[in-house]
Each structure stands twice: as structure tokens, then as C-alpha cells.
Amino acid sequence: MKITAPISTPAEVEPLVRAGARELYCGVVPPDWIQRFNTSGVNRRVFGNLNGYADLERVVEKATGLDAEVFLVLNAQQYGEQHLDALTEIGARFRSIGGKAAIVADISLIASLAANVPDLDIHVSSVATCRNVESARFFAALGANRIILPRDVTVAEIAAITTELPELDIEAFVLNDGCVFEEGTCHTVHLPMNKGGPICIDNYQFEYQATGGGQPQERALRRLEQNDLDYKRWLWYRFGNGFTSAPNGYPWGPCGVCAMPAMHAAGVHSVKIAGREGASERKIKSVELVARVLERIEAGEPADEVRKFAVGLRDAPSHCASGYMCYYPEVRSRHELGDTEGKLLTAV
Amino acid sequence: MTNMMHTPTPNSGTRPIELGFALVDERELAAFARHDRLTRDDYLDQLGEARDCVTLPDDAEPTHFFLGSEFCEHLLPSVEAVDRAVALCERWGLTFGLVTPIACDGLFDPLRAALQRLPAGSEVTVNDWGVARLVQREFPALRPVAGRLLGKMLKDPRLPSATWARMYPNGLRAGPFRDILDGLGIGRLELDFPPFGAADMYAGIDFPVGVRAPYGYIAKGRICKLGSLSLDTPEKFSPGHKCRRECLGFNEVGARPGTHELPTSQRGNTMYYRHAQGMAAAVAEAVNNGWVSRIVLSGA
């Protein structure tokens, strides 16, 4: 199982690979793109991109020298038909300098890259919301080599796809970013924070209505309000414990390291660390954290021991105990129920 | 992938608009069952005060009736409800459509069971490429429609201007998109009408287009706040658990303080905006010009 890590500058390549990442992904906004299309929307993130092709070449060269692979993010939910040729040219150029794969969500772009740049691997972005075996087969038929599963899947669902489709590489989230909505079905932009930021943490003031109109009954309203408080607490964890790090530098926020033994057993190819827009130090510490867990798995340490080690890494087990910091909370729940072998997790 | 030739549908401006109603809560079928036939007012009445945000041609009368959810795997109708809806549609002389969501693998067997109950020619609104493959391979007598989760476009109601809305144009006219839909036997698109949408925004698309009104969806998740109401910590706000369908009993409505944006709501795992009257007028203009051939009325 490999670690896939984000980069936004060539200077991050070496420390991330040294920390344990074997796969790096990055975005780039070519200099003529904004002029041509009047948008910086080459990928899902406006910030966190490399400065241009020269940086992209440096990244590929450095990574190749360190025996790591580089993937290029072209993963907007959708592109206009006027963009497809330009994006396909970007993919071809990336391949010509030694890039390995494009991370893509738009099905038209997947088809175009498969037809025109056949030696460039295609990784289906989590933004494509592929979370079942039939859907994975659909993308494989289009030319995909890898499926990056969306954030909110269960370990059992991951295992079902890896089992059914051994010819496809499967990548699953393990650390950092925490969208509330499914990326591929969220048709918003992350506004500047003074205009509202991401819609899932914007300042909407909602009131409950019962179906058909009117307020819910008093008892129901109390339960709803308590549920809202729980949700706010979950949101705080989902967004990196208020965008903070542990005292030892390891990042807080959505985390799936406890599920890594089960994912490894299921045949997951790579675990993904999100956060291209993050600080370099956060990326490096993220890779270190995941690598320390992976080392133990690869050394054959029992899954239960690995999970205990993982929970102790940030020296604040109460956050883990909340259950709200987990990408795969069922691992924790079932572990507490005594399923120490993780059998339930890989049941198809 | 089969690459079939696609024959564009003739301009439908000369034909009556198709009019559908989409129902999510199967329990509400009982109220519909009282009708011997359905009229446009029966459909509009279901929208409550939101009916003021819909503009229909004078001759628009019901042609389709849909059951199911695009947004949640927990809201797939039971086979009993599907049977009841199919029987009602036969009585009313309407085409039935089953609406399906993005699916986890666990949903495929219940989906097969529901699809087996549909008479030939029924529509299936698919919002998942895997479900589209299932329908094509195992249910060739059914007519798949690409649902609004597959027709991706920017719909953020918070954007300050049309300039922002043009940042990420849709790819509905792209050749590969058309070929892929053809290859899956999909012959129709169902879409939302976005904030800042122009009447001609669906002109020239190679598929007949239906528009959902008067609500568009903004974003949907798999994590559901309301669906966690009856769960204990830490099972709340996680995927893969059972659901008591609380979203069918409660809705959240509101706004961002200090703004005059489109009325917004959250129902279960999905956020919606409601059309302004100007948007309703733009949809009506699109219908008049044959750029939209169907309106599907649905709530939030």
C-alpha cells in the first residue's frame, strides 16, 4: 500500500518522499489558460497549484529521481466542451515530461484523454463519486486505471470494490480535508471567507418546519436542537479541529489511519492525504504520521496493535474517542464491540 | 462502449410540453390514489405556496409521474409502493418513472427488485453510472434518463453575479458526453435551472431536456444531519447506517442573514434553492422555444 500526498511547490517533493510518500499529486494553471478562458478553473482548487510548466517539470524530474510518481489534477466536476482540447493537450504535455497519470472527474475528459493520450494513466477523481462496483466498471471501460473513492464510504464498501475489481487500483482517503457534501454533487464554489467560504460552514440560519408547514412539536424540536449541537461538534472535527494541529505537529481532522490495516488486507493500492492548499509542514507531518502506521502494518504487526499505536500518535486519545474525527468510524465502533480481527470490516 | 449515432430530437416547440410530478415519499401515494385522473392543478397543489414560482404553458397537462429520490439510497421506494404507483399511472394514462440515486453496492439488489416491477417503456431516472449500466444490461425494455446529478453545472445561489456563474461552464454539449449517454441507451436529460440561467442555456443540446421546478438542488452529501437524529454517538454523521427517514417529516428553511438570495432549504442530506419568478419566466421562455421539452414539478 502506497501513500499519495499533495504538493504545491517543487520544494515539497524531497521532504514528502523522504517522509514516505511514493506518489505525489499536483495541479497547474498554464499561463495562457486564464487569458484564453477567463477562469483559473483548471482543477478543483483555485489555490495550491504549481506556478507553471517549469515548476511541473521540476516536480516530475525530482520525483522521478527519488523513485516516486507524479499525478496531475484535472478534476473539476465539469468542463465546457471548449476546454477539452486544451486539457487534453495539458495531459499530453504532462505525459511527455514523465508524468504518470491524470486525476480526472469529468467523463468527457476521461474519454478524450483515453483516446488521445493512451499512455497516460487515468485516475478517476473522488469528485466523480464512484462508489460501487458497477460504476467502477463503467469508468474502467472508459479507460481508467485507478478509482479514487469519495470520502464517505465504508471500509466494507471499499473491500467489495477491491475484491471484485483486482485489475483496478483503488485509492482511499486517509487524512485531512473534510467536505460535508459529496464533492461531485456539490455545485458551489468555495467563496472567500468574508463572503461565506464553503457552503457547508456558511452562516445559514435555518429553522425547522414540519412537513406540510408549521413548527415541529416541542419534544421533537428539543431533539432536533440537540442533534444540531452534536452536528456542530462533528463539523468542528470535520474541519480539522478548528484548523489546528496537535502539539507534536501531527494534523487534526478527518483521519482513517485506524482503518489502514483493514484497507491493506482488502488490497487497497494507495491511501490519500488531502490538502494541496495546506502548509508544507502540515503535509510533511501528515505523511510522517501515515508512514509510521504503514511501517507497522508492513512489518506484520497485528491490526489491533496497529490501531492502538495509531490512536496514540497524537497523544490526545479523547479526540479519537469522540468518533467524530474518523473517515471510517465503524472501525472504532466495531473494535470496541470486540471485533478485534476486523473480520466484519472486510465482509462483502 | 458502443458509439451509436444519435438522432437529435426535432424541435419540440410545436408539441405540448410534457409535464411530470415527482414524489419522494411513497406514503403520499395514498392521497393521489383518490384521483380518477390528474390535472395540472393537482400537481401544482402539491407544491403549496411554491406553485407561484412555476410558469406553465396553458395546455400543459400531466404526462408523467415519478416516484423515488435522486439524493438518498435510503429512500428507494418499496416494491409495494412501486406496484401501487405503476397501477395508478395505468389508471391515469401516464408514463411512470422510477427515480434512483447514487448507489452503494448494497442498493443494487433492492434496485433490481424495483426495476423488475416496471412495465416496458417506463422511465428510470439514473444518477449513477453504475445504475445506468445495470439498466442497460438487465432491463433493456426500460427507458433510462440521465438525472440532474449527472448533468453537472455550477448552481451556487450565493454567487453575486452572472460573471461568477460562468466560471465553470457545463459540458452538456461535449461530444464525448453525448457519445457516452448514447452508449448507455440514455435518450433524455433532466436538469436543474441554475441561478443566473438564461432561457437559451439549454439550446442546441442533442438530447431532449427536462427541467425540475421550482426547486433546484445545490449540493448533496452522504452524511445526513437529520438522518442521524435517532443514532447514538459516535455513529452519528457517518455513512452506512440505518435511517428512519426523518427527512420526510422535517425540513430546514432559512437564509444567510443580510442577503436577498434565493430562498434556501435543507432536506435531509440535500440543499435546495427555490426559483425566483424571473427564473420561472426564463424556463417558460425555454419551453416556448423548444429548448426544454418537459417540466418535472417537485418539492424540496
Side-chain angles (χ1 to χ4, degrees):
Chain A
M1 195 157 70
K2 295 182 178 178
I3 298 171
T4 310
I7 58 167
S8 55
T9 162
E12 291 173 340
V13 173
E14 186 166 344
L16 288 174
V17 175
R18 301 270 181 236
R22 296 257 72 82
E23 301 177 336
L24 305 170
Y25 64 97
C26 58
V28 66
V29 182
D32 60 341
W33 179 277
I34 296 174
Q35 193 176 9
R36 190 170 166 193
F37 297 117
N38 197 28
T39 170
S40 58
V42 180
N43 55 61
R44 184 82 173 106
R45 295 280 178 264
V46 173
F47 304 104
N49 290 302
L50 299 172
N51 275 333
Y53 280 127
D55 272 5
L56 186 61
E57 287 179 24
R58 271 195 289 277
V59 163
V60 172
E61 186 183 345
K62 282 185 171 198
T64 305
L66 294 166
D67 198 24
E69 293 176 333
V70 182
F71 312 144
L72 182 65
V73 179
L74 301 171
N75 68 338
Q77 284 104 327
Q78 77 279 341
Y79 294 103
E81 66 272 25
Q82 67 270 36
H83 295 151
L84 288 183
D85 287 348
L87 291 161
T88 305
E89 286 167 19
I90 293 171
R93 182 163 180 170
F94 176 62
R95 180 62 193 135
S96 74
I97 61 171
K100 174 69 174 168
I103 300 175
V104 191
D106 179 276
I107 58 167
S108 292
L109 182 57
I110 292 174
S112 179
L113 287 170
N116 297 295
V117 198
D119 54 347
L120 179 69
D121 284 359
I122 293 171
H123 296 179
V124 174
S125 168
S126 57
V127 178
T129 323
C130 172
R131 55 175 165 89
N132 61 66
V133 169
E134 278 292 339
S135 186
R137 286 196 180 113
F138 164 81
F139 285 107
L142 281 183
N145 312 87
R146 178 182 297 197
I147 306 292
I148 305 168
L149 297 175
R151 286 174 175 80
D152 294 313
V153 291
T154 66
V155 178
E157 289 168 349
I158 294 171
I161 295 172
T162 56
T163 304
E164 286 291 320
L165 301 169
E167 69 277 18
L168 273 179
D169 288 345
I170 300 299
E171 182 176 321
F173 277 84
V174 73
L175 212 58
N176 290 341
D177 281 8
C179 286
V180 170
F181 296 110
E182 288 174 295
E183 288 173 291
T185 57
C186 178
H187 304 284
T188 69
V189 293
H190 284 192
L191 293 176
M193 288 308 287
N194 65 354
K195 294 188 185 304
I199 199 166
C200 46
I201 51 172
D202 200 347
N203 184 32
Y204 277 97
Q205 305 289 306
F206 285 131
E207 288 185 356
Y208 283 102
Q209 282 185 350
T211 301
Q215 256 208 338
Q217 292 182 344
E218 188 59 34
R219 185 165 172 271
L221 203 53
R222 281 201 303 274
R223 287 188 63 215
L224 289 164
E225 286 167 355
Q226 179 57 51
N227 194 56
D228 282 354
L229 291 175
D230 291 336
Y231 183 73
K232 278 183 184 165
R233 188 161 158 259
W234 175 79
L235 268 184
W236 183 79
Y237 280 111
R238 191 78 168 186
F239 284 91
N241 299 28
F243 303 103
T244 60
S245 298
N248 58 13
Y250 288 143
W252 295 124
C255 172
V257 292
C258 287
M260 283 174 60
M263 290 199 278
H264 183 266
V268 167
H269 183 277
S270 306
V271 286
K272 185 182 199 73
I273 295 170
R276 279 193 292 129
E277 293 168 313
S280 295
E281 181 64 13
R282 182 178 174 87
K283 293 173 191 169
I284 295 164
K285 295 300 283 187
S286 296
V287 174
E288 278 180 18
L289 187 153
V290 176
R292 290 183 68 185
V293 177
L294 184 57
E295 278 170 18
R296 290 179 177 244
I297 294 169
E298 290 179 336
E301 196 168 298
D304 192 33
E305 293 300 315
V306 174
R307 278 194 288 265
K308 278 184 195 161
F309 172 75
V311 168
L313 272 170
R314 280 169 282 200
D315 201 24
S318 64
H319 285 320
C320 289
S322 75
Y324 283 0
M325 208 171 72
C326 304
Y327 276 130
Y328 311 102
E330 75 272 23
V331 174
R332 179 189 169 279
S333 307
R334 287 175 177 168
H335 175 56
E336 285 196 339
L337 289 171
D339 177 34
T340 53
E341 298 302 315
K343 286 174 186 165
L344 284 171
L345 303 176
T346 52
V348 176
Chain B
M1 186 77 51
T2 312
N3 193 347
M4 295 162 46
M5 286 295 290
H6 182 78
T7 307
T9 300
N11 186 320
S12 60
T14 57
R15 299 181 303 177
I17 180 79
E18 294 182 341
L19 181 61
F21 182 73
L23 189 65
V24 172
D25 188 348
E26 61 186 55
R27 295 172 303 184
E28 294 181 21
L29 280 174
F32 277 94
R34 289 197 288 270
H35 297 278
D36 289 329
R37 60 179 286 270
L38 286 179
T39 66
R40 57 192 271 148
D41 279 335
D42 294 327
Y43 277 1
L44 289 167
D45 286 349
Q46 296 294 315
L47 300 175
E49 63 182 24
R51 65 180 290 163
D52 295 339
C53 304
V54 177
T55 302
L56 294 175
D58 291 341
D59 61 349
E61 287 296 334
T63 55
H64 292 73
F65 187 83
F66 300 92
L67 183 66
S69 167
E70 303 133 294
F71 304 118
C72 187
E73 61 210 38
H74 296 294
L75 294 175
L76 183 72
S78 63
V79 288
E80 293 79 12
V82 171
D83 285 346
R84 215 173 311 137
V86 167
L88 287 172
C89 284
E90 284 172 358
R91 193 171 97 201
W92 296 328
L94 303 180
T95 300
F96 177 71
L98 179 69
V99 181
T100 64
I102 293 179
C104 59
D105 278 309
L107 195 69
F108 276 72
D109 282 344
L111 257 176
R112 280 190 182 88
L115 292 167
Q116 281 164 358
R117 316 299 291 202
L118 304 186
S122 299
E123 290 193 0
V124 184
T125 306
V126 295
N127 287 288
D128 180 295
W129 298 114
V131 173
R133 272 173 61 99
L134 171 79
V135 173
Q136 183 196 34
R137 190 178 62 242
E138 297 185 22
F139 302 93
L142 302 178
R143 295 204 301 251
V145 172
R148 53 182 165 167
L149 274 65
L150 299 184
K152 298 185 186 300
M153 66 185 74
L154 192 56
K155 293 185 281 187
D156 195 328
R158 306 172 303 160
L159 297 183
S161 71
T163 304
W164 284 67
R166 283 193 288 268
M167 272 197 304
Y168 295 93
N170 69 60
L172 303 172
R173 293 174 187 81
F177 182 72
R178 182 190 60 223
D179 293 342
I180 290 165
L181 262 56
D182 274 342
L184 289 166
I186 293 172
R188 168 172 277 280
L189 285 177
E190 189 171 284
L191 300 167
D192 272 325
F193 197 78
F196 301 112
D200 64 352
M201 71 171 299
Y202 298 139
I205 292 178
D206 276 349
F207 291 88
V209 169
V211 164
R212 287 250 174 175
Y215 295 94
Y217 99 90
I218 302 164
K220 81 145 216 108
R222 198 179 185 200
I223 301 302
C224 184
K225 179 174 72 170
L226 202 50
S228 298
L229 188 64
S230 61
L231 298 174
D232 295 327
T233 304
E235 275 70 30
K236 283 176 179 279
F237 321 122
S238 60
H241 57 69
K242 290 202 163 101
C243 172
R244 294 190 182 175
R245 300 183 173 190
E246 289 92 344
C247 62
L248 301 180
F250 304 107
N251 194 8
E252 293 176 83
V253 294
R256 298 198 302 164
T259 71
H260 300 284
E261 295 163 352
L262 299 175
T264 308
S265 56
Q266 177 145 358
R267 192 93 189 246
N269 62 14
T270 307
M271 282 187 80
Y272 301 84
Y273 57 84
R274 196 175 75 192
H275 291 185
Q277 289 192 341
M279 296 167 72
V283 173
E285 187 183 339
V287 168
N288 286 337
N289 284 285
W291 299 322
V292 167
S293 61
R294 179 187 296 176
I295 292 179
V296 179
L297 303 175
S298 61

